[in-house]
Amino acid sequence: MLELKSISKIPPKIISNFLLICLAWHLIILELGSTVSAIRKDVSLQENRHCRTTVQGRYLLSDDNGYVCDALSVDPKSRCCPIRGEQFSCHGCNLVSQCCNSYEYCVSCCLNPARTQKDLVLKLKTAKPVSAGTYSSIFDYCAGRCRHNSESVVHENAYLSDFHHCFSLPSNSSGDSDVQIEARLVGIKIIAGRQGESCDSVCKSNGQSCVPNKLALLNQCQIMQKYFSCKGSCLASIGADQPAEVVDDAPNDLNPGACLYTEKQSILSCDGSHQHTRRLCPCA
């Protein structure tokens, strides 16, 4: 009773102020708790997020999430580009030939799952030797393929065009459509040679040179049938003179009139020839 009486003697204004102070402290504690929680969540996200990036460009780079940014915009901790702009951007790219005029945008475009099939890429060898390993990720493939692509080079010391950063699968593994193959032959003049001529001779007689890294694209039945009659047959063979058509007056055991493609593409060459065939040659 004494305690109640003593409390009742406290002025109502003091009690009201005391309650307001208690409420204010309660709100402050709740706010600090949520802020700390949010900070911890942000830190956790930043720690878990880490990107691989290209290093070739002087000003731009692409991260493995498919974003392109300038070097100053990269997060110093995560090494990721800011998540803004277009992901998997194909800016400056020809989507038919799958070639771009910028290395970084080539990588970005290539990383799009709709354009590059992971199951195919991870089976590809990183180089021609049998002992070469395969790509460990799509980013490794895109970063490597966009940088080094022999099909975009002519005469080993010049580019066919400004669009020389290409991410298309190698010509012997992609199953390209005719449109894609034609796009990859832009800048190349395809000439059917005379009987017994090598492609070096065929191209030279037209004031050009043979482009050896394009022979594999011509080494396909659907392409040869556009330039030769093929007499209804296209046969697998092995020879440095291929792709080629067997001349009509060849011995019967050589299949006169048939088109020939080689299954051993490593022997394709510009200087190969055969007395009974006409070669199909890429010149530039």
Side-chain angles (χ1 to χ4, degrees), residues 150-162:
S150 61
E151 291 180 12
S152 63
V153 178
V154 60
H155 309 320
E156 300 183 356
N157 60 2
Y159 290 114
L160 283 168
S161 72
D162 290 336

Side-chain angles (χ1 to χ4, degrees), residues 86-100:
E86 183 182 355
Q87 187 180 24
F88 308 129
S89 174
C90 295
H91 177 72
C93 298
N94 182 323
L95 298 182
V96 177
S97 64
Q98 295 181 310
C99 293
C100 311

Side-chain angles (χ1 to χ4, degrees), residues 24-141:
W25 273 108
H26 182 69
L27 291 174
I28 290 172
I29 291 171
L30 288 176
E31 183 66 24
L32 286 174
S34 62
T35 302
V36 170
S37 175
I39 291 173
R40 285 177 179 169
K41 288 179 181 177
D42 291 343
V43 170
S44 175
L45 286 173
Q46 290 176 358
E47 289 176 349
N48 292 333
R49 187 173 176 234
H50 185 78
C51 295
R52 297 177 63 192
T53 62
T54 58
V55 294
Q56 179 167 319
R58 181 180 298 179
Y59 305 109
L60 297 177
L61 55 80
S62 174
D63 67 19
D64 57 6
N65 289 320
Y67 288 99
V68 176
C69 63
D70 61 79
L72 296 177
S73 300
V74 177
D75 186 289
K77 292 183 178 179
S78 68
R79 299 302 301 164
C80 296
C81 286
I83 302 178
R84 61 171 182 252
E86 183 182 355
Q87 187 180 24
F88 308 129
S89 174
C90 295
H91 177 72
C93 298
N94 182 323
L95 298 182
V96 177
S97 64
Q98 295 181 310
C99 293
C100 311
N101 58 14
S102 162
Y103 171 68
E104 291 74 25
Y105 282 104
C106 176
V107 174
S108 173
C109 191
C110 172
L111 287 170
N112 189 336
R115 301 191 186 283
T116 304
Q117 298 180 44
K118 183 177 181 179
D119 57 336
L120 290 178
V121 164
L122 299 186
K123 294 177 183 177
L124 294 176
K125 289 185 176 295
T126 57
K128 288 184 178 180
V130 177
S131 59
T134 55
Y135 291 101
S136 60
S137 68
I138 291 183
F139 180 77
D140 285 334
Y141 167 79

Side-chain angles (χ1 to χ4, degrees), residues 8 10 26 28 36 48 54 102 106 123 125 146-147 149 158 177 190 203 222 238 241 245 259 263 280-281 283:
S8 64
I10 299 174
H26 182 69
I28 290 172
V36 170
N48 292 333
T54 58
S102 162
C106 176
K123 294 177 183 177
K125 289 185 176 295
C146 286
R147 183 183 296 114
N149 187 352
S177 67
I190 302 172
C203 295
Q222 71 266 32
I238 297 178
D241 63 309
E245 180 186 51
C259 285
E263 294 182 315
L280 189 62
C281 305
C283 306

Side-chain angles (χ1 to χ4, degrees), residues 197-199 215 237-244 262 264 266-274 277 279:
E197 273 192 306
S198 70
C199 280
L215 284 168
S237 182
I238 297 178
D241 63 309
Q242 294 151 22
T262 182
K264 192 174 181 180
S266 60
I267 67 173
L268 290 172
S269 72
C270 288
D271 60 0
S273 64
H274 191 283
T277 64
R279 295 202 63 181

Side-chain angles (χ1 to χ4, degrees), residues 159-223:
Y159 290 114
L160 283 168
S161 72
D162 290 336
F163 294 83
H164 56 261
H165 299 287
C166 305
F167 60 89
S168 56
L169 291 170
S171 56
N172 62 344
S173 63
S174 61
D176 286 341
S177 67
D178 286 357
V179 174
Q180 290 173 315
I181 293 173
E182 293 293 344
R184 292 163 69 179
L185 288 170
V186 171
I188 299 295
K189 185 176 182 180
I190 302 172
I191 304 174
R194 293 189 294 269
Q195 181 177 344
E197 273 192 306
S198 70
C199 280
D200 279 335
S201 175
V202 171
C203 295
K204 186 177 181 180
S205 64
N206 284 271
Q208 296 180 309
S209 299
C210 176
V211 185
N213 56 27
K214 296 298 181 180
L215 284 168
L217 288 174
L218 304 185
N219 188 49
Q220 303 180 60
C221 293
Q222 71 266 32
I223 297 298

